[in-house]
Amino acid sequence: MKAFQGVTRTAFLGFFSSHIVFTVIVDLQALLPATLFPTPLRNLLAWYTATLKDPLMSDPPLWFQSLICFELVIQLPFFCTACYYLTKYRVLYPDKFRIACIAYSAHACTSMGPILASLATATALSTVERAVLVNLYLPYLIFPAWLLLASVFSSVPTERPKIY
C-alpha cells in the first residue's frame, strides 16, 4: 500500500495518537472500576458528562461497554501499530499493515453505527445536545471510513508469490 503523505499522513497520525490518549484516560472509565483512575481523570469524565450530557459515558449500557472492551483489546493495539507505521514508512507500507487497516476500519465503522444511532435518538436530550454529541463522535466514523477506502482501493503488489 502506498504510504500516506503530507496532510493525510499528519491527519491520521494525529487521529491515532489522540485516540490512544482518549481511549486510556476517558473511554476505559466506562469499562473499568473508577478506583483505577486518578481523581483528575474521574473529574474530567464527570465534567464531560455533566456538560455534554453524554448518556453513553454517564451511564454506560452493557452493549456500549462491550464495544469499549473491543476498543481496549483490538483498537488500542492497532492505534499504536498505526502510529509506528505512519512514522517509520515514507513510501510503501507492508501489506500486513494494509490488511490491519481494513480490519480495524471495518470494525470501527460497524461499531459506530449503534453509537451514533443511540445518540441521535436519545429522547432525554434536546435536539442541540444530540447534534453536539453526534458531531463529537462523527470523526470516529469518518477517519475509519477514510482509512477503509484508502486501504481497499490502494494498489496491491501485482507479483504473485511463487508456489513450489
Side-chain angles (χ1 to χ4, degrees):
M1 174 168 85
K2 184 178 175 186
F4 296 113
Q5 298 174 352
V7 175
T8 302
R9 184 180 159 280
T10 303
F12 277 111
L13 192 55
F15 174 75
F16 290 124
S17 58
S18 68
H19 211 329
I20 292 168
V21 174
F22 291 127
T23 297
V24 172
I25 70 171
V26 178
D27 294 353
L28 291 182
Q29 290 189 57
L31 181 65
L32 302 174
T35 56
L36 295 178
F37 298 91
T39 303
L41 295 183
R42 292 195 308 261
N43 291 343
L44 174 65
L45 179 62
W47 171 84
Y48 167 78
T49 56
T51 304
L52 296 180
K53 301 178 183 171
D54 184 340
L56 297 177
M57 290 302 292
S58 60
D59 186 21
L62 184 58
W63 66 265
F64 185 69
Q65 289 178 326
S66 70
L67 292 178
I68 299 294
C69 187
F70 281 116
E71 185 176 7
L72 172 63
V73 174
I74 296 171
Q75 293 185 23
L76 187 58
F78 175 78
F79 301 151
C80 297
T81 301
C83 288
Y84 169 78
Y85 279 104
L86 287 167
T87 55
K88 181 176 179 179
Y89 292 89
R90 301 294 179 164
V91 179
L92 290 174
Y93 297 120
D95 201 46
K96 64 183 176 184
F97 180 61
R98 177 179 173 270
I99 293 166
C101 288
I102 292 170
Y104 155 75
S105 298
H107 166 72
C109 289
T110 304
S111 297
M112 288 309 299
I115 292 171
L116 291 171
S118 176
L119 293 171
T121 60
T123 56
L125 301 174
S126 71
T127 303
V128 171
E129 291 166 337
R130 285 193 304 269
V132 167
L133 285 171
V134 165
N135 281 300
L136 184 68
Y137 278 78
L138 207 51
Y140 300 101
L141 172 64
I142 292 171
F143 273 89
W146 181 12
L147 183 63
L148 180 62
L149 291 173
S151 300
V152 167
F153 294 111
S154 69
S155 59
V156 293
T158 55
E159 184 180 313
R160 296 183 184 262
K162 294 179 182 177
I163 301 173
Y164 296 98

